[in-house]
């Protein structure tokens, strides 16, 4: 007889696929919560961090990525744009994020697109005020384009 894979209460089943995890890195608690709600509604689990936590070393990027294993990262480029773009580039170069698809958000998408440049890899950039449907579409597209793990 096959052993049971369920436990009391039956919240998890062994034959269920792992949930898709989206990491949200943002400066605003309200934006993080809003994205959490919309992405959970789209069937994803959300792990989040504040930009300053990564910038100031309060959260280790490698540990955050290893513990949460996100399939996609939603990252906000906030003012000052140049400094936060430099932080993004630094984080993006880290081994833990190198192959993870991204969706960028910004209050000034056209400026961030200029920072990205034509020779830089293209990331989906969604401006604020946030179009939640566009963010969900961009996240799903990024998931479809991700390399196989």
């Amino acid at each position: 007889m096959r052993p049971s894979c369920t436990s009391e209460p039956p919240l998890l089943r062994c034959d269920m696929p792992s949930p898709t995890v989206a990491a949200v890195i943002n400066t605003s608690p309200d934006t993080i919560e809003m994205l959490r709600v919309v992405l959970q509604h789209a069937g994803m689990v959300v792990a989040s961090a504040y930009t300053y936590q990564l910038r100031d070393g309060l959260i280790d990027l490698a540990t955050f990525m290893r513990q949460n294993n996100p399939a996609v990262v939603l990252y906000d480029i906030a003012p000052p744009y140049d400094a936060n773009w430099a932080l993004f580039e630094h984080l993006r170069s880290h081994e833990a994020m190198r192959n993870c698809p991204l969706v960028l958000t910004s209050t000034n998408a056209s400026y961030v697109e200029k920072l990205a440049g034509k020779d830089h890899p293209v990331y989906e950039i969604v401006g604020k005020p946030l179009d939640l449907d566009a963010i969900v579409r961009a996240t799903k597209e990024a998931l479809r384009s991700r390399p196989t793990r």
Side-chain angles (χ1 to χ4, degrees):
M1 171 164 247
R2 186 176 163 193
S4 173
C5 283
T6 59
S7 62
E8 287 294 318
L11 299 175
L12 298 174
R13 290 185 34 195
C14 295
D15 59 346
M16 293 181 69
S18 297
T20 300
V21 177
V24 175
I25 301 171
N26 203 291
T27 58
S28 164
D30 291 337
T31 301
I32 287 175
E33 186 57 27
M34 178 178 54
L35 291 173
R36 178 183 318 282
V37 169
V38 73
L39 293 171
Q40 284 177 339
H41 183 72
M44 294 173 224
V45 172
V46 176
S48 62
Y50 294 110
T51 308
Y52 80 88
Q53 292 174 312
L54 295 168
R55 180 193 65 223
D56 298 346
L58 300 173
I59 291 180
D60 177 68
L61 178 64
T63 302
F64 176 81
M65 296 295 284
R66 186 178 59 255
Q67 287 176 344
N68 295 293
N69 195 25
V72 63
V73 173
L74 287 84
Y75 189 94
D76 187 58
I77 307 291
Y81 300 109
D82 293 323
N84 281 308
W85 179 259
L87 173 64
F88 165 73
E89 287 287 284
H90 172 72
L91 295 174
R92 181 68 177 147
S93 70
H94 195 286
E95 181 67 32
M97 278 187 68
R98 206 167 278 150
N99 294 317
C100 194
L102 294 160
V103 175
L104 296 181
T105 61
S106 180
T107 56
N108 191 342
S110 61
Y111 188 78
V112 173
E113 287 171 339
K114 289 176 188 173
L115 289 173
K118 292 183 181 186
D119 294 330
H120 198 281
V122 178
Y123 306 112
E124 185 73 28
I125 299 177
V126 182
K128 288 182 184 173
L130 297 175
D131 178 344
L132 298 178
D133 290 334
I135 289 175
V136 170
R137 283 191 306 273
T139 303
K140 288 181 177 181
E141 180 61 32
L143 286 168
R144 281 191 290 277
S145 68
R146 80 176 184 249
T148 306
R149 291 188 185 197

